[in-house]
Amino acid sequence: MKLLIDIGINLTNKQFHNEQEEIINRALDNGVEQMILTGTSLRGSRESAAMAADYPGILFSTAGIHPHDARSFHQENIPELRRLLRQEHVVSVGECGLDFDRDFSPRPAQEKCYRAQLELAAEVGKPLFLHERSAFRRFNEITDDYLSRLPKAVIHCFTGTLQEAKLYLDKGFYLGFTGAISDSNRFGHLEEVVRYVPLDRMMIETDAPFMLPKNLPRMQNRRNEPSFLPYVAGTVAAMKNISISGVAAETTETARKFFGIDVAD
């Protein structure tokens, strides 16, 4: 099979504590040749950048503050995110956006934090890694205020409707798909979305340790990890009635162009 890029892994998550080397090696053994570590807080963004620096050409990272952490956001955080983003292996601003499903942070705090990171992305010119959950209308109202100045953007872990997908595509955004697409009980509607979205506007990710693919063989370990990305690629291939190699080649090329990543040595 062609080689894959996982555009979203929470490798600093406590579920992976002291296992990062094994996790990375298993991914490489399963054809996942490059991985992007998601920064979801200031501390997590620092840790992800440091970890990525230890695996040049294989690991990359994002720098941002997730809406769940927006309650602790201060404007003084922006200069530190800016410093992280000056590093070549820190390839994207985010994960940032709005989450009105869990509301772990007050909505006004989420909006302030999101706006600050949209401003930062417009300034530094690196693509956005976006999160939107149960906040479609407000998310788009805010995003549209900056749209003419924004670099490229991907809606990570997309689980929305076909109509929502079409609106994002019309804005020029990309969509990231996880193991959720194999969960026909919760996310059966995603099959028509995956069929509709062109491969050159689609990327795949595990969002590990979350979003475990439902088409995995039964196993005791229910924690997701990047070595399972081929199961996401396989689901896309089945839904589009094309080869897994075709999915791998297209989504990898799309991810490389989007994030400005070179082919691994």
Side-chain angles (χ1 to χ4, degrees), residues 4-187:
L4 298 162
I5 294 178
D6 189 340
I7 69 159
I9 311 162
N10 300 283
L11 201 55
T12 61
N13 188 279
K14 61 185 178 182
Q15 292 190 47
F16 294 136
H17 184 60
N18 287 334
E19 289 186 71
Q20 284 88 354
E21 186 175 354
E22 294 92 328
I23 296 291
I24 293 163
N25 286 334
R26 270 200 296 274
L28 294 170
D29 289 344
N30 282 275
V32 184
E33 65 172 347
Q34 292 172 314
M35 296 154 259
I36 301 175
L37 314 188
T38 308
T40 57
S41 66
L42 205 53
R43 178 181 175 181
S45 296
R46 287 191 210 106
E47 292 175 351
S48 293
M51 201 176 294
D54 289 337
Y55 291 85
I58 296 172
L59 297 189
F60 303 85
S61 70
T62 74
I65 298 173
H66 191 287
H68 289 344
D69 282 271
R71 63 189 179 279
S72 60
F73 170 74
H74 299 287
Q75 199 62 38
E76 297 77 27
N77 300 153
I78 294 299
E80 182 149 11
L81 291 176
R82 187 184 292 115
R83 281 193 292 272
L84 288 169
L85 286 157
R86 289 191 187 121
Q87 300 176 78
E88 191 174 349
H89 63 272
V90 182
V91 294
S92 181
V93 178
E95 179 178 358
C96 59
L98 301 178
D99 193 311
F100 291 174
D101 181 63
R102 297 191 175 180
D103 282 318
F104 287 162
S105 289
R107 294 183 182 185
Q110 291 188 44
E111 293 186 10
K112 180 181 178 182
C113 184
Y114 181 40
R115 285 184 182 276
Q117 291 176 92
L118 290 175
E119 289 279 4
L120 179 61
E123 175 196 334
V124 302
K126 286 194 173 181
L128 279 154
F129 192 76
L130 297 176
H131 175 106
E132 181 272 306
R133 191 171 181 190
S134 301
F136 181 78
R137 182 187 61 80
R138 189 64 184 134
F139 177 86
N140 280 282
E141 287 174 350
I142 292 173
T143 307
D144 286 351
D145 288 344
Y146 301 85
L147 197 58
S148 64
R149 298 192 286 129
L150 291 182
K152 294 176 289 188
V154 58
I155 307 295
H156 125 88
C157 191
F158 182 80
T159 56
T161 65
L162 179 59
Q163 206 57 40
E164 290 170 350
K166 288 179 177 179
L167 187 142
Y168 285 134
L169 292 174
D170 287 346
K171 289 181 192 288
F173 291 178
Y174 294 67
L175 300 179
F177 292 98
T178 67
I181 62 175
S182 61
D183 187 344
S184 57
N185 291 325
R186 285 184 66 200
F187 300 113

